[in-house]
């Protein structure tokens, strides 16, 4: 009897904790969505949790796009994301191909250096990084962000190494017997077979660049070079009292990443899980 009572109490506590977790996650986006469609007078007179009287009131979105200059911000973000990804994917796959296929002196040191770099706080290297960017005359230009985002990281390298380890080396040997060069093997065999890993890297890198505010704010202070994150911050400053506008701005900024994530989420999970278990 006591065991049955204890099981019932634990079951109730489990469902209550799950319900609280769900509410904690869903209430903030709900508040943002319902208040984005309210006018200033309606927002002041109603509860933050009440539904708007007109769900087709897009006046807040139009004002945010015009005043916040989010159109230019999306353009700058798009240029930086595409340019960075092109360089990043080529560099990342080439580095992983060299580390995954060949044995040479210093290979372990290079792999260790990628791991050690992940433990160094970003803020401690900013003086040296800033000096390099200034020395290259890239300060206050899109080139600064593109150069910094184009670098590969340990997660990306190890993701590619997992996939390369699954590609049979006999493919390389067959191509070599046909007279293919190492670059041609990389271009025609390795790179196409790294497609799922590349898709995962693109999604993770895009979300990282899109949400980052530190690098654009530090290296591109000009308002004409504002990206989505910095433009949202500049818009929120003078309009901090108008929460209906802030909510509309948040929705506009959130929408692209939500769509990309919902469409391509299966590539993220398949890319990360693949290679995690040896068969």
């Amino acid at each position: 009897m006591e065991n049955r009572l204890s099981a019932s109490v634990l079951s109730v506590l489990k469902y209550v904790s799950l319900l609280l977790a769900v509410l904690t996650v869903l209430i903030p986006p709900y508040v943002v969505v319902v208040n984005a469609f309210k006018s200033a007078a309606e927002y002041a007179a109603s509860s933050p949790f009440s539904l708007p009287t007109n769900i087709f009131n897009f006046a807040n979105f139009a004002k945010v796009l015009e005043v916040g200059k989010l159109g230019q911000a999306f353009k700058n973000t798009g240029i930086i994301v595409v340019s960075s990804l092109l360089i990043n994917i080529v560099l990342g796959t080439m580095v992983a191909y060299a580390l995954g296929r060949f044995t040479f002196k210093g290979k372990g040191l290079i792999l260790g250096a990628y791991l050690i770099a992940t433990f160094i706080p970003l803020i401690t290297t900013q003086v040296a990084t800033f000096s390099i960017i200034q020395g290259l005359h890239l300060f206050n230009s899109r080139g600064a962000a593109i150069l910094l985002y184009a670098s590969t990281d340990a997660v990306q390298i190890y993701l590619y190494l997992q996939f390369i380890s699954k590609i049979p080396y006999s493919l390389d040997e067959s191509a070599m017997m046909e007279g293919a060069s190492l670059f041609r093997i990389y271009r025609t065999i390795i790179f196409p077979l790294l497609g799922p890993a590349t898709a995962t890297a693109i999604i993770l890198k895009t979300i990282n660049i899109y949400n980052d505010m530190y690098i654009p704010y530090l290296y591109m202070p000009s308002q004409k070079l504002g990206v989505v994150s910095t433009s949202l911050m500049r818009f929120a400053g003078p309009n901090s009292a108008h929460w209906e506008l802030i909510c509309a701005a948040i929705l506009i900024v959130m929408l692209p990443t939500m769509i990309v994530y919902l469409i391509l989420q299966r590539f993220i999970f398949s890319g990360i899980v693949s290679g995690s278990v040896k068969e």
Side-chain angles (χ1 to χ4, degrees):
M1 184 67 181
E2 288 184 1
N3 291 336
R4 196 176 293 176
L5 182 62
S6 300
S8 299
V9 171
L10 286 175
S11 180
V12 170
L13 289 175
K14 180 177 69 177
Y15 283 105
V16 169
S17 61
L18 287 174
L19 182 63
L20 288 174
V22 170
L23 291 176
T24 304
V25 172
L26 292 182
I27 285 178
Y30 168 78
V31 171
V32 169
V33 170
V34 297
N35 288 292
F37 295 91
K38 293 179 181 177
S39 64
E42 185 183 359
Y43 177 79
S46 64
S47 165
F49 299 98
S50 63
L51 293 172
T53 53
N54 181 13
I55 60 171
F56 298 105
N57 177 22
F58 295 105
N60 293 334
F61 298 92
K63 187 171 182 180
V64 168
L65 288 171
E66 181 184 353
V67 178
K69 298 178 180 176
L70 286 184
Q72 181 66 31
F74 277 113
K75 179 185 173 185
N76 290 333
T77 304
I79 292 172
I80 291 171
V81 168
V82 172
S83 304
S84 303
L85 285 178
L86 285 175
I87 302 171
N88 176 266
I89 296 303
V90 172
L91 280 178
T93 50
M94 283 187 170
V95 170
Y97 174 53
L99 293 173
R101 273 295 195 254
F102 307 106
T103 303
F104 54 88
K105 196 175 180 180
K107 177 180 172 180
L109 188 65
I110 295 173
L111 282 170
Y114 273 107
L115 275 179
I116 292 171
T118 61
F119 295 107
I120 300 174
L122 184 66
I123 192 72
T124 61
T125 61
Q126 286 311 300
V127 174
T129 306
F130 192 88
S131 301
I132 294 171
I133 293 296
Q134 210 166 23
L136 294 173
H137 304 289
L138 292 176
F139 177 70
N140 214 10
S141 73
R142 296 190 193 101
I146 291 171
L147 182 64
L148 293 173
Y149 288 134
S151 60
T152 57
D153 53 41
V155 175
Q156 186 180 4
I157 293 298
Y158 280 93
L159 183 66
Y160 279 130
L161 287 176
Q162 287 178 2
F163 275 78
I164 287 178
S165 66
K166 289 187 171 183
I167 300 174
Y169 191 69
S170 56
L171 290 175
D172 297 41
E173 292 175 333
S174 300
M176 287 178 189
M177 290 176 67
E178 296 293 330
S181 63
L182 291 178
F183 180 73
R184 187 171 181 183
I185 293 172
Y186 158 78
R187 185 172 58 83
T188 58
I189 297 175
I190 301 298
F191 187 77
L193 291 176
L194 290 176
T198 301
T200 305
I202 287 174
I203 295 165
L204 295 177
K205 194 79 178 176
T206 300
I207 293 174
N208 180 42
I209 296 172
Y210 189 82
N211 291 330
D212 183 39
M213 188 178 69
Y214 183 77
I215 287 177
Y217 185 69
L218 183 61
Y219 295 97
M220 301 189 306
S222 171
Q223 291 200 4
K224 290 181 180 178
L225 298 173
V227 296
V228 171
S229 57
T230 53
S231 295
L232 179 64
M233 180 194 66
R234 292 187 179 112
F235 176 80
N239 294 286
S240 57
H242 300 280
W243 277 97
E244 70 284 357
L245 295 177
I246 301 292
C247 290
I250 292 172
L251 270 188
I252 292 174
V253 172
M254 283 173 55
L255 206 56
T257 51
M258 286 178 63
I259 293 172
V260 170
Y261 181 79
L262 289 174
I263 293 174
L264 302 176
Q265 60 173 323
R266 61 192 177 94
F267 290 109
I268 297 178
F269 297 126
S270 64
I272 292 175
V273 172
S274 178
S276 60
V277 179
K278 290 187 177 179
E279 297 176 352

